[in-house]
Amino acid sequence: DGHFLYGFLSEAERFAFRQLLKISGIGARMALAVLSGLSVGDLAAAVAQQEIGRLVKVPGIGTKTAQRLLLELKGKLAETTGVSLAGAVDDARHDILNALLALGYNEREASAAMKNLAPDTGTSDGIRQALKLLSRV
């Protein structure tokens, strides 16, 4: 019934928007909500790490929709945004270390806890596991 015009700051945002529209149950309004709640890089990192928690924080995205997004977008955003699983894992490990330092642990304690984490651990799971490890000491 109408013509709608959407504008994007980058080609990556436009590509992500189009990929989101291809997913069943995701319309233009939901795709815009996702892109306004997360940057394309954050979305690609969440998909690469399969972090449902980041997507659920976006208004209008529930658990089932977030699971569908993770499943449908897997491998589709990384090539365009340049975010790979290795880059996402490095970012997650950096975030875990910063979180532990912000919580008052020193560099030695935080590094020791980081050594015991699996290499592909996501940010939220990694912080949780590191805190469990540090509480045992």
Side-chain angles (χ1 to χ4, degrees), residues 9-137:
L9 292 175
S10 68
E11 188 66 33
E13 284 182 358
R14 183 171 160 252
F15 179 78
F17 179 77
R18 288 186 171 180
Q19 291 299 317
L20 288 166
L21 288 180
K22 291 179 184 178
I23 299 171
S24 174
I26 303 293
R29 186 172 296 191
M30 184 72 69
L32 287 174
V34 170
L35 290 175
S36 66
L38 296 169
S39 70
V40 178
D42 289 341
L43 178 61
V47 171
Q49 294 175 342
Q50 295 292 299
E51 281 194 57
I52 199 167
R54 283 189 191 180
L55 296 175
V56 173
K57 290 179 183 176
V58 174
I61 301 288
T63 306
K64 288 184 179 182
T65 305
Q67 289 171 342
R68 190 173 339 115
L69 286 171
L70 291 177
L71 180 67
E72 296 281 338
L73 293 175
K74 190 173 187 177
K76 294 182 180 175
L77 292 179
E79 59 207 28
T80 302
T81 60
V83 175
S84 66
L85 183 57
V89 168
D90 289 342
D91 288 345
R93 294 190 71 76
H94 181 71
D95 290 345
I96 294 167
L97 181 63
N98 284 337
L100 293 175
L101 293 174
L103 288 171
Y105 293 100
N106 63 37
E107 186 93 26
R108 186 181 51 80
E109 293 170 326
S111 296
M114 295 284 292
K115 288 179 185 176
N116 294 324
L117 298 178
D120 61 345
T121 304
T123 303
S124 58
D125 290 336
I127 293 170
R128 195 174 302 113
Q129 291 173 14
L131 289 173
K132 283 181 185 177
L133 291 169
L134 289 168
S135 67
R136 293 181 190 154
V137 177

